[in-house]
Amino acid sequence: MLGQLGAPVGFAIAGLLFAYLIANLSNAEFLDWGRCGICATGCTGIIGAL
């Protein structure tokens, strides 16, 4: 049963983190954090392809 809760809990955490960042960062700061996420995703994809 706990395995089935992984996706909903993950979506809830992601949504709460997104709402927190939107509320507490300026537009420029938020976009700067977005670039970090894109770079991290690219690195993870490259590592996964190896």
Side-chain angles (χ1 to χ4, degrees), residues 1 3-4 12-18 20-23 25 30-34 36 40-41 43 45-49:
M1 177 176 160
Q4 295 175 341
I13 291 171
L16 290 171
L17 180 62
F18 183 74
Y20 174 79
L21 291 175
I22 287 283
L25 295 177
F30 183 76
L31 292 176
D32 190 40
W33 272 103
C36 293
T41 301
C43 293
I46 291 170
I47 291 170

PDB file of all heavy atoms in Angstrom, residues 1 3-4 12-18 20-23 25 30-34 36 40-41 43 45-49:
ATOM      1  N   MET A   1       0.816  -1.193   0.000  1.00  0.00           N
ATOM      2  CA  MET A   1       0.000   0.000   0.000  1.00  0.00           C
ATOM      3  C   MET A   1       0.863   1.262   0.000  1.00  0.00           C
ATOM      4  O   MET A   1       0.521   2.231  -0.666  1.00  0.00           O
ATOM      5  CB  MET A   1      -0.919   0.004   1.205  1.00  0.00           C
ATOM      6  CG  MET A   1      -1.735   1.261   1.273  1.00  0.00           C
ATOM      7  SD  MET A   1      -2.891   1.202   2.626  1.00  0.00           S
ATOM      8  CE  MET A   1      -3.216   2.912   2.792  1.00  0.00           C
ATOM      9  N   GLY A   3       3.669   1.754  -1.376  1.00  0.00           N
ATOM     10  CA  GLY A   3       4.235   1.992  -2.694  1.00  0.00           C
ATOM     11  C   GLY A   3       3.309   2.793  -3.592  1.00  0.00           C
ATOM     12  O   GLY A   3       3.746   3.546  -4.450  1.00  0.00           O
ATOM     13  N   GLN A   4       2.021   2.649  -3.405  1.00  0.00           N
ATOM     14  CA  GLN A   4       1.042   3.365  -4.210  1.00  0.00           C
ATOM     15  C   GLN A   4       0.909   4.823  -3.788  1.00  0.00           C
ATOM     16  O   GLN A   4       0.325   5.622  -4.503  1.00  0.00           O
ATOM     17  CB  GLN A   4      -0.316   2.686  -4.118  1.00  0.00           C
ATOM     18  CG  GLN A   4      -0.322   1.293  -4.712  1.00  0.00           C
ATOM     19  CD  GLN A   4      -1.636   0.586  -4.501  1.00  0.00           C
ATOM     20  OE1 GLN A   4      -2.419   0.954  -3.642  1.00  0.00           O
ATOM     21  NE2 GLN A   4      -1.877  -0.451  -5.293  1.00  0.00           N
ATOM     22  N   ALA A  12       2.267  16.180  -4.311  1.00  0.00           N
ATOM     23  CA  ALA A  12       1.892  17.153  -3.278  1.00  0.00           C
ATOM     24  C   ALA A  12       3.104  17.954  -2.817  1.00  0.00           C
ATOM     25  O   ALA A  12       3.036  19.181  -2.680  1.00  0.00           O
ATOM     26  CB  ALA A  12       1.243  16.440  -2.094  1.00  0.00           C
ATOM     27  N   ILE A  13       4.227  17.275  -2.606  1.00  0.00           N
ATOM     28  CA  ILE A  13       5.453  17.967  -2.186  1.00  0.00           C
ATOM     29  C   ILE A  13       5.919  18.924  -3.273  1.00  0.00           C
ATOM     30  O   ILE A  13       6.303  20.061  -2.995  1.00  0.00           O
ATOM     31  CB  ILE A  13       6.547  16.950  -1.815  1.00  0.00           C
ATOM     32  CG1 ILE A  13       6.154  16.221  -0.540  1.00  0.00           C
ATOM     33  CG2 ILE A  13       7.899  17.629  -1.648  1.00  0.00           C
ATOM     34  CD1 ILE A  13       7.054  15.047  -0.195  1.00  0.00           C
ATOM     35  N   ALA A  14       5.881  18.478  -4.522  1.00  0.00           N
ATOM     36  CA  ALA A  14       6.292  19.339  -5.630  1.00  0.00           C
ATOM     37  C   ALA A  14       5.386  20.565  -5.741  1.00  0.00           C
ATOM     38  O   ALA A  14       5.866  21.680  -5.956  1.00  0.00           O
ATOM     39  CB  ALA A  14       6.288  18.557  -6.937  1.00  0.00           C
ATOM     40  N   GLY A  15       4.097  20.367  -5.581  1.00  0.00           N
ATOM     41  CA  GLY A  15       3.157  21.483  -5.639  1.00  0.00           C
ATOM     42  C   GLY A  15       3.372  22.484  -4.512  1.00  0.00           C
ATOM     43  O   GLY A  15       3.339  23.705  -4.722  1.00  0.00           O
ATOM     44  N   LEU A  16       3.607  21.973  -3.310  1.00  0.00           N
ATOM     45  CA  LEU A  16       3.865  22.859  -2.178  1.00  0.00           C
ATOM     46  C   LEU A  16       5.177  23.623  -2.351  1.00  0.00           C
ATOM     47  O   LEU A  16       5.245  24.821  -2.043  1.00  0.00           O
ATOM     48  CB  LEU A  16       3.892  22.051  -0.879  1.00  0.00           C
ATOM     49  CG  LEU A  16       2.545  21.492  -0.425  1.00  0.00           C
ATOM     50  CD1 LEU A  16       2.737  20.538   0.745  1.00  0.00           C
ATOM     51  CD2 LEU A  16       1.597  22.618  -0.060  1.00  0.00           C
ATOM     52  N   LEU A  17       6.202  22.957  -2.851  1.00  0.00           N
ATOM     53  CA  LEU A  17       7.474  23.628  -3.085  1.00  0.00           C
ATOM     54  C   LEU A  17       7.324  24.706  -4.161  1.00  0.00           C
ATOM     55  O   LEU A  17       7.851  25.813  -4.008  1.00  0.00           O
ATOM     56  CB  LEU A  17       8.550  22.616  -3.492  1.00  0.00           C
ATOM     57  CG  LEU A  17       9.933  23.177  -3.781  1.00  0.00           C
ATOM     58  CD1 LEU A  17      10.507  23.849  -2.543  1.00  0.00           C
ATOM     59  CD2 LEU A  17      10.854  22.076  -4.257  1.00  0.00           C
ATOM     60  N   PHE A  18       6.597  24.404  -5.216  1.00  0.00           N
ATOM     61  CA  PHE A  18       6.352  25.377  -6.278  1.00  0.00           C
ATOM     62  C   PHE A  18       5.613  26.591  -5.732  1.00  0.00           C
ATOM     63  O   PHE A  18       5.979  27.742  -6.007  1.00  0.00           O
ATOM     64  CB  PHE A  18       5.561  24.723  -7.405  1.00  0.00           C
ATOM     65  CG  PHE A  18       5.327  25.620  -8.583  1.00  0.00           C
ATOM     66  CD1 PHE A  18       6.353  25.924  -9.461  1.00  0.00           C
ATOM     67  CD2 PHE A  18       4.075  26.154  -8.812  1.00  0.00           C
ATOM     68  CE1 PHE A  18       6.136  26.756 -10.549  1.00  0.00           C
ATOM     69  CE2 PHE A  18       3.845  26.990  -9.893  1.00  0.00           C
ATOM     70  CZ  PHE A  18       4.880  27.284 -10.763  1.00  0.00           C
ATOM     71  N   TYR A  20       5.538  27.662  -2.653  1.00  0.00           N
ATOM     72  CA  TYR A  20       6.448  28.381  -1.754  1.00  0.00           C
ATOM     73  C   TYR A  20       7.416  29.254  -2.549  1.00  0.00           C
ATOM     74  O   TYR A  20       7.634  30.411  -2.197  1.00  0.00           O
ATOM     75  CB  TYR A  20       7.214  27.377  -0.887  1.00  0.00           C
ATOM     76  CG  TYR A  20       8.281  28.022  -0.036  1.00  0.00           C
ATOM     77  CD1 TYR A  20       7.940  28.674   1.142  1.00  0.00           C
ATOM     78  CD2 TYR A  20       9.616  27.991  -0.410  1.00  0.00           C
ATOM     79  CE1 TYR A  20       8.915  29.281   1.916  1.00  0.00           C
ATOM     80  CE2 TYR A  20      10.594  28.587   0.352  1.00  0.00           C
ATOM     81  CZ  TYR A  20      10.231  29.235   1.530  1.00  0.00           C
ATOM     82  OH  TYR A  20      11.201  29.836   2.287  1.00  0.00           O
ATOM     83  N   LEU A  21       7.993  28.699  -3.610  1.00  0.00           N
ATOM     84  CA  LEU A  21       8.945  29.465  -4.407  1.00  0.00           C
ATOM     85  C   LEU A  21       8.272  30.643  -5.106  1.00  0.00           C
ATOM     86  O   LEU A  21       8.831  31.742  -5.163  1.00  0.00           O
ATOM     87  CB  LEU A  21       9.630  28.556  -5.425  1.00  0.00           C
ATOM     88  CG  LEU A  21      10.598  27.519  -4.848  1.00  0.00           C
ATOM     89  CD1 LEU A  21      11.113  26.602  -5.949  1.00  0.00           C
ATOM     90  CD2 LEU A  21      11.744  28.177  -4.112  1.00  0.00           C
ATOM     91  N   ILE A  22       7.075  30.436  -5.635  1.00  0.00           N
ATOM     92  CA  ILE A  22       6.340  31.524  -6.290  1.00  0.00           C
ATOM     93  C   ILE A  22       6.055  32.650  -5.293  1.00  0.00           C
ATOM     94  O   ILE A  22       6.162  33.835  -5.616  1.00  0.00           O
ATOM     95  CB  ILE A  22       5.022  30.990  -6.893  1.00  0.00           C
ATOM     96  CG1 ILE A  22       5.295  30.160  -8.127  1.00  0.00           C
ATOM     97  CG2 ILE A  22       4.061  32.120  -7.223  1.00  0.00           C
ATOM     98  CD1 ILE A  22       5.624  30.946  -9.359  1.00  0.00           C
ATOM     99  N   ALA A  23       5.690  32.283  -4.068  1.00  0.00           N
ATOM    100  CA  ALA A  23       5.308  33.288  -3.076  1.00  0.00           C
ATOM    101  C   ALA A  23       6.502  34.056  -2.526  1.00  0.00           C
ATOM    102  O   ALA A  23       6.356  35.214  -2.141  1.00  0.00           O
ATOM    103  CB  ALA A  23       4.549  32.613  -1.932  1.00  0.00           C
ATOM    104  N   LEU A  25       9.896  34.293  -3.942  1.00  0.00           N
ATOM    105  CA  LEU A  25      10.973  34.743  -4.815  1.00  0.00           C
ATOM    106  C   LEU A  25      10.458  35.774  -5.810  1.00  0.00           C
ATOM    107  O   LEU A  25       9.301  35.722  -6.224  1.00  0.00           O
ATOM    108  CB  LEU A  25      11.566  33.560  -5.587  1.00  0.00           C
ATOM    109  CG  LEU A  25      12.267  32.477  -4.774  1.00  0.00           C
ATOM    110  CD1 LEU A  25      12.724  31.360  -5.689  1.00  0.00           C
ATOM    111  CD2 LEU A  25      13.432  33.025  -3.996  1.00  0.00           C
ATOM    112  N   PHE A  30      13.114  33.484  -9.396  1.00  0.00           N
ATOM    113  CA  PHE A  30      12.410  32.252  -9.750  1.00  0.00           C
ATOM    114  C   PHE A  30      12.925  31.676 -11.053  1.00  0.00           C
ATOM    115  O   PHE A  30      13.145  30.470 -11.171  1.00  0.00           O
ATOM    116  CB  PHE A  30      10.904  32.525  -9.835  1.00  0.00           C
ATOM    117  CG  PHE A  30      10.097  31.296 -10.128  1.00  0.00           C
ATOM    118  CD1 PHE A  30       9.865  30.361  -9.152  1.00  0.00           C
ATOM    119  CD2 PHE A  30       9.572  31.084 -11.393  1.00  0.00           C
ATOM    120  CE1 PHE A  30       9.128  29.221  -9.414  1.00  0.00           C
ATOM    121  CE2 PHE A  30       8.829  29.958 -11.673  1.00  0.00           C
ATOM    122  CZ  PHE A  30       8.607  29.025 -10.676  1.00  0.00           C
ATOM    123  N   LEU A  31      13.137  32.537 -12.052  1.00  0.00           N
ATOM    124  CA  LEU A  31      13.662  32.062 -13.334  1.00  0.00           C
ATOM    125  C   LEU A  31      15.087  31.537 -13.196  1.00  0.00           C
ATOM    126  O   LEU A  31      15.477  30.588 -13.876  1.00  0.00           O
ATOM    127  CB  LEU A  31      13.591  33.181 -14.371  1.00  0.00           C
ATOM    128  CG  LEU A  31      12.185  33.586 -14.802  1.00  0.00           C
ATOM    129  CD1 LEU A  31      12.237  34.765 -15.750  1.00  0.00           C
ATOM    130  CD2 LEU A  31      11.449  32.419 -15.420  1.00  0.00           C
ATOM    131  N   ASP A  32      15.874  32.133 -12.302  1.00  0.00           N
ATOM    132  CA  ASP A  32      17.230  31.641 -12.067  1.00  0.00           C
ATOM    133  C   ASP A  32      17.199  30.234 -11.477  1.00  0.00           C
ATOM    134  O   ASP A  32      17.971  29.364 -11.873  1.00  0.00           O
ATOM    135  CB  ASP A  32      17.976  32.601 -11.140  1.00  0.00           C
ATOM    136  CG  ASP A  32      19.450  32.285 -11.059  1.00  0.00           C
ATOM    137  OD1 ASP A  32      20.033  31.947 -12.114  1.00  0.00           O
ATOM    138  OD2 ASP A  32      20.021  32.411  -9.964  1.00  0.00           O
ATOM    139  N   TRP A  33      16.291  29.964 -10.538  1.00  0.00           N
ATOM    140  CA  TRP A  33      16.145  28.616  -9.986  1.00  0.00           C
ATOM    141  C   TRP A  33      15.690  27.642 -11.070  1.00  0.00           C
ATOM    142  O   TRP A  33      16.080  26.474 -11.072  1.00  0.00           O
ATOM    143  CB  TRP A  33      15.127  28.616  -8.845  1.00  0.00           C
ATOM    144  CG  TRP A  33      15.740  28.923  -7.522  1.00  0.00           C
ATOM    145  CD1 TRP A  33      15.683  30.096  -6.852  1.00  0.00           C
ATOM    146  CD2 TRP A  33      16.506  28.044  -6.712  1.00  0.00           C
ATOM    147  NE1 TRP A  33      16.371  30.012  -5.686  1.00  0.00           N
ATOM    148  CE2 TRP A  33      16.886  28.753  -5.561  1.00  0.00           C
ATOM    149  CE3 TRP A  33      16.919  26.713  -6.838  1.00  0.00           C
ATOM    150  CZ2 TRP A  33      17.655  28.188  -4.553  1.00  0.00           C
ATOM    151  CZ3 TRP A  33      17.677  26.159  -5.839  1.00  0.00           C
ATOM    152  CH2 TRP A  33      18.035  26.881  -4.717  1.00  0.00           C
ATOM    153  N   GLY A  34      14.866  28.112 -12.000  1.00  0.00           N
ATOM    154  CA  GLY A  34      14.410  27.251 -13.092  1.00  0.00           C
ATOM    155  C   GLY A  34      15.557  26.779 -13.961  1.00  0.00           C
ATOM    156  O   GLY A  34      15.587  25.633 -14.404  1.00  0.00           O
ATOM    157  N   CYS A  36      18.559  26.224 -12.956  1.00  0.00           N
ATOM    158  CA  CYS A  36      19.253  25.174 -12.204  1.00  0.00           C
ATOM    159  C   CYS A  36      18.544  23.833 -12.376  1.00  0.00           C
ATOM    160  O   CYS A  36      19.194  22.799 -12.538  1.00  0.00           O
ATOM    161  CB  CYS A  36      19.318  25.534 -10.719  1.00  0.00           C
ATOM    162  SG  CYS A  36      20.342  26.948 -10.340  1.00  0.00           S
ATOM    163  N   ALA A  40      20.017  20.375 -14.011  1.00  0.00           N
ATOM    164  CA  ALA A  40      20.008  19.133 -13.250  1.00  0.00           C
ATOM    165  C   ALA A  40      19.284  18.025 -14.019  1.00  0.00           C
ATOM    166  O   ALA A  40      19.717  16.873 -14.025  1.00  0.00           O
ATOM    167  CB  ALA A  40      19.348  19.350 -11.888  1.00  0.00           C
ATOM    168  N   THR A  41      18.196  18.376 -14.682  1.00  0.00           N
ATOM    169  CA  THR A  41      17.453  17.389 -15.473  1.00  0.00           C
ATOM    170  C   THR A  41      18.284  16.884 -16.626  1.00  0.00           C
ATOM    171  O   THR A  41      18.313  15.682 -16.927  1.00  0.00           O
ATOM    172  CB  THR A  41      16.138  18.014 -15.998  1.00  0.00           C
ATOM    173  OG1 THR A  41      15.373  18.449 -14.899  1.00  0.00           O
ATOM    174  CG2 THR A  41      15.364  17.031 -16.831  1.00  0.00           C
ATOM    175  N   CYS A  43      21.590  16.754 -16.792  1.00  0.00           N
ATOM    176  CA  CYS A  43      22.648  15.890 -16.253  1.00  0.00           C
ATOM    177  C   CYS A  43      22.098  14.515 -15.900  1.00  0.00           C
ATOM    178  O   CYS A  43      22.741  13.497 -16.174  1.00  0.00           O
ATOM    179  CB  CYS A  43      23.300  16.543 -15.035  1.00  0.00           C
ATOM    180  SG  CYS A  43      24.236  18.025 -15.405  1.00  0.00           S
ATOM    181  N   GLY A  45      19.518  13.049 -17.231  1.00  0.00           N
ATOM    182  CA  GLY A  45      19.234  12.342 -18.481  1.00  0.00           C
ATOM    183  C   GLY A  45      20.472  11.770 -19.118  1.00  0.00           C
ATOM    184  O   GLY A  45      20.464  10.634 -19.643  1.00  0.00           O
ATOM    185  N   ILE A  46      21.559  12.522 -19.092  1.00  0.00           N
ATOM    186  CA  ILE A  46      22.824  12.029 -19.662  1.00  0.00           C
ATOM    187  C   ILE A  46      23.336  10.835 -18.863  1.00  0.00           C
ATOM    188  O   ILE A  46      23.742   9.818 -19.438  1.00  0.00           O
ATOM    189  CB  ILE A  46      23.865  13.157 -19.702  1.00  0.00           C
ATOM    190  CG1 ILE A  46      23.443  14.190 -20.751  1.00  0.00           C
ATOM    191  CG2 ILE A  46      25.248  12.616 -20.009  1.00  0.00           C
ATOM    192  CD1 ILE A  46      24.254  15.473 -20.719  1.00  0.00           C
ATOM    193  N   ILE A  47      23.286  10.938 -17.539  1.00  0.00           N
ATOM    194  CA  ILE A  47      23.747   9.821 -16.692  1.00  0.00           C
ATOM    195  C   ILE A  47      22.873   8.586 -16.923  1.00  0.00           C
ATOM    196  O   ILE A  47      23.366   7.466 -17.007  1.00  0.00           O
ATOM    197  CB  ILE A  47      23.756  10.230 -15.209  1.00  0.00           C
ATOM    198  CG1 ILE A  47      24.846  11.270 -14.978  1.00  0.00           C
ATOM    199  CG2 ILE A  47      23.952   9.027 -14.305  1.00  0.00           C
ATOM    200  CD1 ILE A  47      24.819  11.933 -13.619  1.00  0.00           C
ATOM    201  N   GLY A  48      21.556   8.801 -17.057  1.00  0.00           N
ATOM    202  CA  GLY A  48      20.644   7.682 -17.298  1.00  0.00           C
ATOM    203  C   GLY A  48      20.880   7.025 -18.647  1.00  0.00           C
ATOM    204  O   GLY A  48      20.632   5.829 -18.811  1.00  0.00           O
ATOM    205  N   ALA A  49      21.351   7.793 -19.619  1.00  0.00           N
ATOM    206  CA  ALA A  49      21.588   7.229 -20.950  1.00  0.00           C
ATOM    207  C   ALA A  49      22.856   6.370 -20.992  1.00  0.00           C
ATOM    208  O   ALA A  49      23.009   5.562 -21.897  1.00  0.00           O
ATOM    209  CB  ALA A  49      21.700   8.356 -21.980  1.00  0.00           C
TER     210      ALA A  49
END
